[in-house]
Amino acid sequence: MCGIIAITTSSNTKVSKLITTGLKRLEYRGYDSVGIATINQGKIETLKDAGTIDRVNQKLNFENLEGSIGIGHTRWATHGPPNQINAHPHADCTKKIMVVHNGIIENYLEIKSDLERKGHIFTSQTDSEVIVHLVEEELKLANPPKSVIQAFKNTITKLEGAYAITLIHTDEPETIFLARKDSPLVIGVQEDTKFAASDIPAFLEHTKKVIILKNGEIGVITPKTVYIEKNGFRVQPKPFIVSWTAESAQKSGYPHFMLKEIHEQPIALKNTINIDSEELSKASKKILESTRIVFLACGTSYHAGLSGFHQIQRILPKKPIYPIIASEYETYSHLIDEETLIIAISQSGETLDVMKALSAARKNKAQVISLANVTDSSIPRLSHISLYTKAGPEIGVAATKTHTAQVALLARLAIQLEFEAGELSKDDYSVQVDNLVQQTPQIVRTVINQNELKAKKLASIIQNQNHSYFLARGLNMPVALEGALKLKEISYIHAEAFPAGESKHGPIAIVETNFPIVMIAPDDWTTKKMLGNAEEMKARGGYIISVTEKDHRITERSDYSFFIPKAFSPIINPISYVVPLQMLAYYTAVRRGYDPDKPKNLAKTVTVE
Ligand code: F6R
């Protein structure tokens, strides 16, 4: 979590302005405090405080900072509450070195007490502050004096945990020192300016030329140069040009990124499903060769994994397939060996729980296929085959377009697998692929058009409720889970999803008049039982909201219905049925006065365990 950005330029530009805009683009990573430091005429200048970027900027005006080199940070607090003192950047005792850090330094207490014994004065409660004092100490002790880069490198070897670090020193007023392990850091390359940031949107309006710093790499950037090394050896960086546009990282007239991203789903789906079948064919062969399959992911991506589990299990009914929440990996590690195929799903490609589980699985020689949205991020790099959703950058903290793109990619993979498994003729395969490509974006567009006003109205009906249930069965369960997660994470209404059949085993006890119950009810094998469950809930006064097809019998039992067009195959349902629930969550959050793009206590990329 946390967003960092660093800029060095020889183009006579005041970097504080660019850093402020860059931080705005990174705000989805954390937003409880913010700060910038620049070097101006050999001296550090800093402004920082608790609060969102806009609020702090209004109060302090970051553009007051002069200088053509600087670092900035938007924080998601881990060590120490969000206040002025704990806000980054942090300085050493001499106020010549400044650092911003994303991640967690696990051994900071030992380092801190050692440095305090040596006379260092710490001002914050953060783990990050040890980094600058370590560099200061390294420089102080050396005889003959060490270079800053040497001191920086020695410091990095002493850190345990996860970090993306950018550091500046007044003695080298054009240079930014970088290091990464398990927290993302990317470099943006322009002729006279170099950027380093947690994510590409931070500098996308200035350059599309990107270098992804890899785990264990240490770098130095100046306005004209990029130097990277790993384990003491120089690494030749491989810049690439991102296809994302600067507009894709802006709100473009929408009040929130989340609403924009909901509306971008048809195009995100179209771009994702139009994938070269060669990669899918390789992935399908790995699936067929494996003895068991494990879907590994967190949160919304885990719900996509559940959908993938249902789709693949239908094609390979005898194959053991386990959907696993990545942070629970240890419990299932006995299943993982060289015959196991892991399908890891992550929008950011940087979620630490997934990375840790994958590293452990790789040690046990498991094969790995990954699905990510961010090219060349850490999780694809830990994989044998990397598939990508083409949803464009997702800035809203609550995943929407990347989720439906993940499910669509898994649906496309399932069709490929069915073909490779000999269960689908060549002709049927082509028809299925065509249908998926043609119908999915179209259906989702229709769902948005026909249900947005309804979602808005329903939001005004349920906005004062404190609890809600989301019920489904079978392949529709991932939709219920995702709908509940969306509602709770941005509107803060307690939302619980469970298989409809479970209600009578406990949860129905708290249903009372007007208790909202969302029922995911396509016309499929679950219909009859869902109808029974709707009756049970209605009898207790529940307010039934169905997501269903027009003329489905459940509408007679419902107080409110969203209608979804029938698709060529149920594999589209986990995509189309979730869309009204995204809109319901969005409009409920707005009605309750919350910012859906910045839910409290959350950040988009979770780089802590
Ligand atoms: C919820 C949400 C999170 C993420 C989870 C995994 O809307 O976005 O639950 O899905 O933190 O993130 P990724 O997909 O980046 O691994």
Side-chain angles (χ1 to χ4, degrees):
M1 347 272 251
C2 302
I4 64 179
I5 174 160
I7 307 177
T8 175
T9 182
S10 57
S11 71
N12 229 347
T13 315
K14 206 154 123 173
V15 289
S16 54
K17 189 167 180 214
L18 305 187
I19 293 177
T20 310
T21 337
L23 287 174
K24 278 296 291 172
R25 306 271 178 264
L26 293 175
E27 210 174 6
Y28 65 88
R29 304 180 63 88
Y31 29 80
D32 56 43
S33 30
V34 59
I36 296 181
T38 58
I39 301 177
N40 180 31
Q41 298 181 348
K43 287 218 164 68
I44 297 282
E45 295 185 354
T46 317
L47 290 173
K48 60 178 189 174
D49 207 346
T52 60
I53 296 168
D54 284 341
R55 269 202 31 225
V56 176
N57 194 24
Q58 232 166 32
K59 185 169 143 198
L60 304 177
N61 192 6
F62 287 127
E63 280 190 53
N64 285 336
L65 296 174
E66 299 290 336
S68 50
I69 181 168
I71 54 180
H73 187 275
T74 177
R75 181 167 187 243
W76 185 87
T78 57
H79 295 66
N83 57 29
Q84 202 271 345
I85 285 171
N86 290 328
H88 294 220
H90 292 291
D92 70 320
C93 300
T94 65
K95 309 277 180 281
K96 292 178 81 180
I97 317 170
M98 294 301 275
V99 75
V100 291
H101 162 233
N102 168 32
I104 289 184
I105 307 300
E106 283 163 6
N107 57 341
Y108 86 102
L109 283 175
E110 294 118 81
I111 300 177
K112 189 170 175 176
S113 55
D114 183 47
L115 288 169
E116 279 174 334
R117 262 200 313 277
K118 290 173 178 155
H120 288 260
I121 311 286
F122 283 78
T123 52
S124 78
Q125 292 150 287
T126 66
D127 53 336
S128 315
E129 196 185 340
V130 297
I131 302 165
V132 258
H133 290 279
L134 269 177
V135 175
E136 179 193 3
E137 185 65 18
E138 285 287 330
L139 286 166
K140 199 160 67 184
L141 287 187
N143 189 12
K146 277 190 196 119
S147 60
V148 182
I149 179 68
Q150 196 51 55
F152 182 68
K153 285 201 274 187
N154 288 4
T155 296
I156 299 301
T157 59
K158 299 194 167 116
L159 305 178
E160 285 167 21
Y163 48 79
I165 296 168
T166 71
L167 177 139
I168 50 177
H169 192 302
T170 50
D171 286 356
E172 300 209 20
E174 288 205 319
T175 310
I176 296 168
F177 301 90
L178 321 168
R180 96 155 268 190
K181 183 178 158 264
D182 293 341
S183 294
L185 196 58
V186 295
I187 298 172
V189 181
Q190 240 190 5
E191 181 69 25
D192 295 329
T193 308
K194 301 293 172 282
F195 304 80
S198 303
D199 203 353
I200 298 165
F203 50 72
L204 195 54
E205 58 210 84
H206 308 293
T207 181
K208 290 182 169 199
K209 194 167 175 185
V210 174
I211 297 165
I212 310 262
L213 210 65
K214 301 193 177 69
N215 255 350
E217 289 184 344
I218 290 180
V220 172
I221 52 173
T222 66
K224 303 242 182 230
T225 61
V226 175
Y227 171 85
I228 299 174
E229 66 169 57
K230 186 167 185 178
N231 302 327
F233 294 100
R234 185 168 191 166
V235 173
Q236 269 318 321
K238 289 198 190 92
F240 67 96
I241 307 293
V242 275
S243 58
W244 297 354
T245 60
E247 298 73 59
S248 62
Q250 287 161 21
K251 284 187 201 154
S252 311
Y254 283 92
H256 298 101
F257 279 111
M258 185 178 175
L259 189 61
K260 177 183 177 236
E261 287 156 5
I262 288 172
H263 279 263
E264 282 173 345
Q265 289 181 107
I267 183 80
L269 290 163
K270 180 167 173 268
N271 293 343
T272 299
I273 319 168
N274 267 316
I275 182 175
D276 180 27
S277 58
E278 206 174 302
E279 278 303 282
L280 293 174
S281 178
K282 280 194 217 150
S284 303
K285 285 187 181 120
K286 273 214 187 296
I287 292 175
L288 291 170
E289 281 160 12
S290 65
T291 302
R292 70 191 70 76
I293 300 171
V294 166
F295 279 94
L296 196 71
C298 306
T300 286
S301 295
Y302 172 71
H303 300 155
L306 281 176
S307 209
F309 154 73
H310 282 286
Q311 293 177 19
I312 293 183
Q313 193 76 90
R314 175 184 58 82
I315 300 161
L316 305 173
K318 297 259 164 66
K319 177 103 58 187
I321 310 181
Y322 309 91
I324 295 178
I325 292 176
S327 55
E328 290 291 299
Y329 174 82
E330 294 299 332
T331 316
Y332 302 91
S333 54
H334 61 282
L335 292 172
I336 317 294
D337 60 22
E338 68 278 7
E339 291 177 16
T340 309
L341 171 69
I342 308 267
I343 304 184
I345 307 173
S346 172
Q347 178 281 128
S348 60
E350 300 289 349
T351 299
L352 195 58
D353 286 330
V354 181
M355 283 164 61
K356 290 270 163 154
L358 270 191
S359 305
R362 287 294 306 252
K363 280 203 186 110
N364 283 2
K365 304 211 163 38
Q367 293 291 304
V368 180
I369 298 175
S370 64
L371 270 71
N373 193 49
V374 180
T375 310
D376 211 18
S377 45
S378 300
I379 289 166
R381 271 196 254 116
L382 285 166
S383 314
H384 298 94
I385 296 181
S386 315
L387 305 175
Y388 287 102
T389 49
K390 300 265 164 43
E394 188 174 69
I395 313 287
V397 166
T400 50
K401 61 175 179 173
T402 56
H403 172 69
T404 46
Q406 289 167 342
V407 180
L409 186 51
L410 288 164
R412 175 66 188 85
L413 176 62
I415 297 174
Q416 192 72 31
L417 177 68
E418 204 165 1
F419 173 61
E420 308 278 346
E423 304 287 330
L424 214 54
S425 71
K426 182 103 186 116
D427 286 351
D428 286 346
Y429 164 76
S430 303
V431 171
Q432 294 271 336
V433 173
D434 280 356
N435 280 339
L436 188 73
V437 169
Q438 302 303 328
Q439 287 196 15
T440 315
Q442 188 48 48
I443 286 179
V444 168
R445 188 168 295 115
T446 310
V447 171
I448 295 172
N449 291 343
Q450 294 181 350
N451 291 290
E452 186 161 7
L453 271 179
K454 278 190 179 179
K456 215 169 174 171
K457 183 160 169 237
L458 182 56
S460 68
I461 297 171
I462 65 159
Q463 64 170 333
N464 294 321
Q465 297 294 331
N466 294 320
H467 304 278
S468 60
Y469 282 161
F470 284 68
L471 308 188
R473 285 170 182 256
L475 173 65
N476 308 317
M477 250 330 276
V479 176
L481 286 160
E482 180 56 11
L485 178 59
K486 286 291 91 95
L487 188 68
K488 81 179 96 169
E489 72 177 326
I490 61 168
S491 79
Y492 318 140
I493 292 178
H494 168 235
E496 199 179 327
F498 50 87
E502 277 293 284
S503 19
K504 57 195 178 289
H505 298 288
I508 201 166
I510 63 164
V511 172
E512 56 186 10
T513 308
N514 289 335
F515 189 109
I517 295 145
V518 179
M519 309 204 79
I520 319 302
D523 188 21
D524 60 16
W525 68 266
T526 66
T527 295
K528 218 164 135 201
K529 290 182 195 275
M530 289 298 286
L531 285 171
N533 299 130
E535 292 288 10
E536 291 155 16
M537 291 295 181
K538 193 114 195 85
R540 272 115 193 135
Y543 185 82
I544 310 292
I545 301 155
S546 54
V547 189
T548 185
E549 287 162 33
K550 225 179 178 116
D551 304 324
H552 190 291
R553 280 171 297 158
I554 202 157
T555 55
E556 289 159 23
R557 276 107 170 148
S558 304
D559 297 284
Y560 209 91
S561 295
F562 293 108
F563 295 124
I564 311 297
K566 197 171 189 72
F568 75 98
S569 151
I571 63 172
I572 294 190
N573 291 350
I575 305 166
S576 52
Y577 275 68
V578 86
V579 174
L581 304 181
Q582 298 169 339
M583 297 193 291
L584 177 62
Y586 171 81
Y587 283 110
T588 308
V590 171
R591 292 255 0 161
R592 284 164 69 94
Y594 303 123
D595 180 348
D597 285 346
K598 298 193 199 87
K600 68 175 164 57
N601 306 336
L602 295 180
K604 189 142 187 83
T605 308
V606 185
T607 50
V608 292
E609 276 182 277

